Amino acid sequence: MPYQPLLLSVIDASGILRDEKKLLRDRNLALVLVHDLLLSKGGIQMGDGPVKQAILKHKTRLNAEFVKEKVKRGVSKTEELARTATIAYDTDELARGGNTRRWVRINTMKATEMEVLGIFASQGFKLVDHASSDDPYSFCKDEHIPNLLSFSPTTQLQDSSLLKDGKIILQDKASCFPAYVLHPPSDPRIHVIDATAAPGNKTTHLSSIMKGRGRITAFERDVKRFQTLKHMLNRAGAHNVTPQNQDFLAVDPLASEYRSVTHILLDPSCSGSGIVNRLDYLVDSVENETDAVETDERLKRLARFQLKMIRHAMKFPSLQRLVYSTCSIHATENEHVVLQALGSEEALDKKFRVESRENMIPSWPRRGLKGLDDSIPADSFIRCLPEDGTNGFFVACFVRNNEKQPSALKRKAVELENDDEAQADADEGGSIQDKIEGRNPKSKKKKKRKKKHNADLVTT
C-alpha cells in the first residue's frame, strides 16, 4: 500500500498518537487525516472540530518528519514521491488480484459522451467491451450508470485536460449511485437540496441529471470545504446550484424559500469504513480489539447524528423523495439507521416508506443485509464492497406515500384535463369522463338530434 508505510513512519516519529491519545484513538482515521494534511492540496477534508485541531496542532512536527522520510527515500519533491508511490501501488495491487477500478464520470454540463470518447481516442485510449485491469489505455462504459467510464487502476488521469476543463470528473462508481437513485426531474419548477454537499461530486451529478434545469441548494457548513464546493461547481458548470455556507440542521424546513423542496440527497458524516481506494488504498482494513471497541462507541454516536439528519430532512413539507447514503460498511450506520428513521414521528406522520428494488437500480446485485427486519425487504437497499471495484457504500431511498392513491380512471382524467384535444371535446359538450370511457360526445349529440327529429315527425 503506497504512502501507508511512509505516513505511518511519520505518525510514529511525531508521537501524535501518544500525545493525543484521547482524540486520536483510531489509527486509520489519523492516517487519512495526516495524508490530507501532507499530500492533499485542499488540506484536511473534514469539518472543523477537536480531532482536526489535534492534527493541526502538530503540523510543524509532522512536516518535519515528512521531510526526513523523503530524504531517506532519496526524493526531493512530493510529486516524485507520488509517482514512485503510484508505481508501487499498481504493481502490488495487480499482484494481489485487486479489483478496484478508476472511475470517470462524463460531465454532460460541459461535454457530450461522443466528444469525450473522441478526445480519449485521439489520446490513444481504446473503448472495449470489458476493460483490462492491466492495460492503462483500455476502458469501457459502465452498465449501471449512464456517462460513467471504467478504467484500469493503472491509468493516470490527474493531468488530463478533460479533467482541468471540467468535462470529466473522477468519481467512484458507488458515489454516483445516490444522485442517480434520487433522479430529480429535469423541470424548472423542481427544487432539490444536497444537504452535505462538499466537495461537490454528487451535487454536480445532480445538476447533470437535471440538465441544468430546476434549482439545487447545496449546503456545506465548513468554511474551507465550502470554498472547495464553490470551485467544483464553477469548474463543472453547474449553474443551477446555489451553494450555502450553512449547517443543514439549522435550516427551517417551513421557511418560504424551502417549502417547495421535493427531493433531498443526504450523505452525512460517517465512519468512512468503506473507503478503501482513497488515493491508493490508504486505510488498513484490519483493526485490533481496542480499536473495535472504540469504533463501536463512535459508530453509535454517528448513527444518532445520521438519524437526526434524516428526521430533519423529512420535515420539509413538500418532500417526496429522500436518498440517504454513507461510505460505511457497518449496519449500525446503514440498515439500522433506516429502520429507526422509518419508526420516527416524521416518517409515520408523512407516510414515508423505502423505495422498492425496481426503482433502485434493480440490475445491481449486491443488496442490503438480510434478517434485520422481515417487514422491509433487504433488496430495497444498495450495498457496494471493494470486490465490486468500488468503495464500500450504502444507499437507501425514502419515498412518500400519498394518503389516497388515485385510481387509474382518476389518473387518466388528470392527464386528459391538460390535453388540449380533450378540452376541445369538453367544450363541445363532452366530458373528461367520456374521453376516458371511450364515448364520443359528438355521436351522442347526433343520436339526440335524430331522436328529436323522429319525435317531431310522429307529432306532425
Side-chain angles (χ1 to χ4, degrees):
M1 296 180 184
Y3 293 120
Q4 188 183 39
L6 182 147
L7 292 175
L8 287 176
S9 296
V10 169
I11 290 171
D12 291 341
S14 70
I16 60 171
L17 293 182
R18 179 191 65 244
D19 297 342
E20 304 291 344
K21 59 184 178 182
K22 289 185 179 179
L23 293 171
L24 299 177
R25 298 174 179 177
D26 190 332
R27 185 177 68 112
N28 292 330
L29 176 61
L31 185 63
V32 171
L33 297 181
V34 170
H35 169 274
D36 283 356
L37 176 68
L38 299 177
L39 296 170
S40 175
K41 291 180 180 179
I44 297 177
Q45 296 296 302
M46 72 177 298
D48 199 17
V51 175
K52 181 177 180 179
Q53 290 303 319
I55 296 289
L56 292 177
K57 187 164 70 174
H58 300 278
K59 181 177 180 180
T60 302
R61 195 192 312 177
L62 288 165
N63 272 307
E65 296 298 337
F66 183 53
V67 171
K68 290 179 185 177
E69 290 296 330
K70 286 198 290 185
V71 172
K72 288 180 184 178
R73 286 162 172 76
V75 174
S76 59
K77 296 180 180 179
T78 302
E79 290 78 10
E80 295 172 359
L81 179 67
R83 282 195 293 270
T84 307
T86 301
I87 293 170
Y89 156 69
D90 293 339
T91 305
D92 180 54
E93 189 59 29
L94 291 174
R96 290 187 286 111
N99 194 36
T100 186
R101 303 293 300 167
R102 186 147 307 205
W103 300 98
V104 174
R105 179 168 61 81
I106 298 172
N107 178 21
T108 54
M109 297 298 293
K110 283 286 191 79
T112 64
E113 181 184 270
M114 186 176 295
E115 179 186 352
V116 170
L117 295 182
I119 293 174
F120 274 133
S122 70
Q123 295 173 344
F125 290 93
K126 183 180 179 181
L127 178 63
V128 296
D129 291 334
H130 301 285
S132 169
S133 60
D134 58 358
D135 180 4
Y137 283 95
S138 70
F139 69 98
C140 63
K141 295 181 182 180
D142 183 63
E143 62 179 308
H144 300 104
I145 303 292
N147 301 306
L148 186 65
L149 307 177
S150 173
F151 288 78
S152 161
T154 63
T155 305
Q156 298 300 306
L157 296 169
Q158 287 83 352
D159 297 324
S160 169
S161 60
L162 287 169
L163 182 64
K164 293 176 181 177
D165 294 338
K167 294 180 178 180
I168 63 170
I169 293 172
L170 302 184
Q171 183 174 359
D172 188 74
K173 176 176 178 174
S175 174
C176 295
F177 283 166
Y180 188 66
V181 168
L182 187 65
H183 217 92
S186 174
D187 187 316
R189 297 166 295 181
I190 291 295
H191 188 179
V192 179
I193 281 180
D194 188 345
T196 52
N201 285 346
K202 299 179 188 70
T203 319
T204 56
H205 194 189
L206 283 171
S207 182
S208 292
I209 289 171
M210 297 171 70
K211 299 176 180 168
R213 302 189 185 103
R215 206 160 42 116
I216 301 173
T217 303
F219 292 101
E220 176 52 53
R221 67 177 185 177
D222 182 76
V223 176
K224 193 166 186 178
R225 285 171 61 81
F226 181 67
Q227 296 305 318
T228 301
L229 172 64
K230 289 200 297 182
H231 175 74
M232 179 71 170
L233 295 175
N234 183 59
R235 188 172 68 177
H239 302 304
N240 65 329
V241 180
T242 302
Q244 297 279 11
N245 189 195
Q246 186 178 359
D247 186 345
F248 174 66
L249 288 174
V251 176
D252 180 7
L254 300 180
S256 58
E257 187 178 358
Y258 304 114
R259 289 188 66 85
S260 63
V261 170
T262 54
H263 295 67
I264 293 179
L265 192 155
L266 178 60
D267 187 75
S269 299
C270 71
S271 65
S273 55
I275 301 178
V276 293
N277 60 351
R278 181 178 183 176
L279 293 180
D280 305 335
Y281 282 85
L282 270 173
V283 180
D284 195 344
S285 60
V286 180
E287 298 175 331
N288 59 39
E289 264 184 53
T290 305
D291 288 339
V293 173
E294 291 170 346
T295 299
D296 185 56
E297 294 173 356
R298 180 168 174 259
L299 289 179
K300 290 178 181 177
R301 289 197 300 271
L302 284 167
R304 288 193 292 269
F305 169 73
Q306 292 152 355
L307 177 60
K308 184 177 182 180
M309 293 283 278
I310 294 175
R311 294 183 64 176
H312 184 70
M314 287 180 173
K315 292 177 182 177
F316 286 75
S318 299
L319 184 68
Q320 296 297 317
R321 197 169 180 86
L322 165 63
V323 164
Y324 169 71
S325 64
T326 75
C327 52
S328 170
I329 60 173
H330 298 298
T332 303
E333 298 178 273
N334 298 332
E335 288 90 349
H336 290 177
V337 168
V338 172
L339 293 174
Q340 291 178 71
L342 288 171
S344 69
E345 180 182 344
E346 292 79 8
L348 295 173
D349 180 54
K350 301 287 181 63
K351 294 180 169 43
F352 279 100
R353 60 174 174 81
V354 291
E355 181 62 282
S356 59
R357 177 170 181 160
E358 62 184 9
N359 295 317
M360 291 281 290
I361 314 180
S363 59
W364 180 255
R366 195 179 301 281
R367 313 308 291 193
L369 300 181
K370 296 181 179 179
L372 297 176
D373 190 318
D374 294 338
S375 65
I376 300 174
D379 63 1
S380 295
F381 308 129
I382 290 174
R383 271 184 171 269
C384 304
L385 288 177
E387 46 262 48
D388 301 319
T390 71
N391 280 320
F393 219 80
F394 174 84
V395 183
C397 181
F398 299 91
V399 291
R400 191 171 176 179
N401 273 337
N402 293 322
E403 287 191 17
K404 292 182 180 179
Q405 295 292 338
S407 66
L409 282 179
K410 198 167 185 179
R411 284 197 300 271
K412 189 70 180 290
V414 171
E415 292 171 9
L416 291 174
E417 285 287 1
N418 297 322
D419 189 289
D420 292 335
E421 184 181 350
Q423 192 59 51
D425 287 342
D427 291 340
E428 293 180 12
S431 67
I432 296 297
Q433 197 67 23
D434 289 334
K435 188 79 172 179
I436 295 172
E437 296 177 3
R439 297 195 297 265
N440 188 334
K442 294 180 180 178
S443 176
K444 286 198 297 182
K445 285 184 178 181
K446 287 179 182 178
K447 286 181 181 179
K448 285 183 179 180
R449 283 197 295 269
K450 187 174 182 180
K451 187 174 181 180
K452 184 176 185 302
H453 178 69
N454 291 337
D456 288 341
L457 289 176
V458 172
T459 304
T460 56

